[in-house]
Amino acid sequence: MSLKGKNALVTGGSRGIGRAVCIRLAVMGAHVYINYVSNPEAAEETRQTILAAGGTADVLAFNVADPAQAEGAIKKLIHDAGSLDILVNNAGITRDGLMARMKEEDWDTVLDTNLKGSFICAKAASRAMMKKRWGRIVNISSVIGFAGNAGQVNYASAKAGMQGLTKSMAKEFASRNITVNAVAPGYIVTDMTSTLPEEIQEKIKAEIPLACLGKPEDVAGAVAYLVGDDSTYITGQTIHVNGGMYM
């Protein structure tokens, strides 16, 4: 599957799943824009990894939850590059806590970044895609959005909301040959999961039929499929990458 000649933006692309997606799309031939908000060193490390592998990439700093920042950056990207063909809404944060004690600020921050940020970026990117009559949008959801999780009502709500966003956008954009799908990872080895105590990780593995945590590259493979030519008749769907934890 070749993405030669395509421009791809991956939000939250500097680390973890986002980094793996950036590298995978670049290897397939896309010119990748690596979005970050607070860690320029990590974003540059991702870019250098892509360049070393023979790909092309740029870094792009903006906060997906800030409409002015996100819309301005994407508008400039499209103007400078000529097109934006692929958008992967991967940026996400957690502010965990039991609902009874959760601060409203922690609810708002997670919803603004994980859900509203995806809406803002997709809205800005879709204009160029509709004009070109071709586009691929992939939203990175989560198993938590389907199964729920104690202590994560904000994160679960945001990720569940991405399902409605995905399906509604898929119906709106289909006539312009723009597909919109989601990937819902389970527990993946990233900075977010590495902080979990060993006993918690072992308990999680015991609940996964494949008995292990996933790798960022597992998620990147699903994204690569959804933006490639083999998935042209797939839209409004979710691929679950969770080792069988949720079926």
Side-chain angles (χ1 to χ4, degrees), residues 34-84:
I34 306 160
N35 162 255
Y36 72 96
V37 68
S38 63
N39 195 334
E41 294 80 12
E44 181 59 27
E45 184 179 336
T46 302
R47 189 178 82 91
Q48 290 300 326
T49 300
I50 288 171
L51 297 181
T56 61
D58 288 300
V59 296
L60 193 60
F62 66 85
N63 183 352
V64 300
D66 185 318
Q69 277 192 41
E71 291 171 5
I74 292 174
K75 183 177 181 179
K76 187 177 186 302
L77 184 165
I78 294 169
H79 177 269
D80 294 346
S83 71
L84 176 55

Side-chain angles (χ1 to χ4, degrees), residues 28 31 48 52 70 91 134 149 184 200 204 227:
M28 293 169 69
H31 182 85
Q48 290 300 326
W134 196 97
N149 197 31
I200 298 298
I204 291 171
V227 302

Side-chain angles (χ1 to χ4, degrees), residues 12-20 38-39 41-43 45-46 90 92-94 96 152 155 186-197 201 204 213-217:
S14 62
R15 296 178 296 174
I17 290 172
R19 172 177 288 182
S38 63
N39 195 334
E41 294 80 12
E45 184 179 336
T46 302
N90 169 74
I93 61 171
T94 57
D96 295 349
Q152 288 192 306
Y155 186 78
Y187 285 91
I188 307 297
V189 179
T190 63
D191 291 346
M192 197 177 292
T193 57
S194 65
T195 60
L196 294 173
Q201 292 195 36
I204 291 171
L213 303 187
K215 303 185 297 296
E217 291 76 15

Side-chain angles (χ1 to χ4, degrees), residues 224-237:
Y225 170 67
L226 290 173
V227 302
D229 290 340
D230 287 344
S231 64
T232 55
Y233 198 54
I234 297 175
T235 194
Q237 306 302 313

Side-chain angles (χ1 to χ4, degrees), residues 131-180:
K131 185 176 181 180
K132 192 174 180 179
R133 302 189 72 85
W134 196 97
R136 299 288 180 265
I137 298 174
V138 179
N139 297 318
I140 305 300
S141 181
S142 170
V143 64
I144 302 303
F146 290 84
N149 197 31
Q152 288 192 306
V153 293
N154 48 4
Y155 186 78
S157 297
K159 292 301 186 179
M162 291 182 81
Q163 300 307 309
L165 180 67
T166 297
K167 293 176 184 294
S168 297
M169 287 198 302
K171 290 187 175 183
E172 289 190 19
F173 297 149
S175 64
R176 298 298 183 95
N177 196 32
I178 301 168
T179 65
V180 187

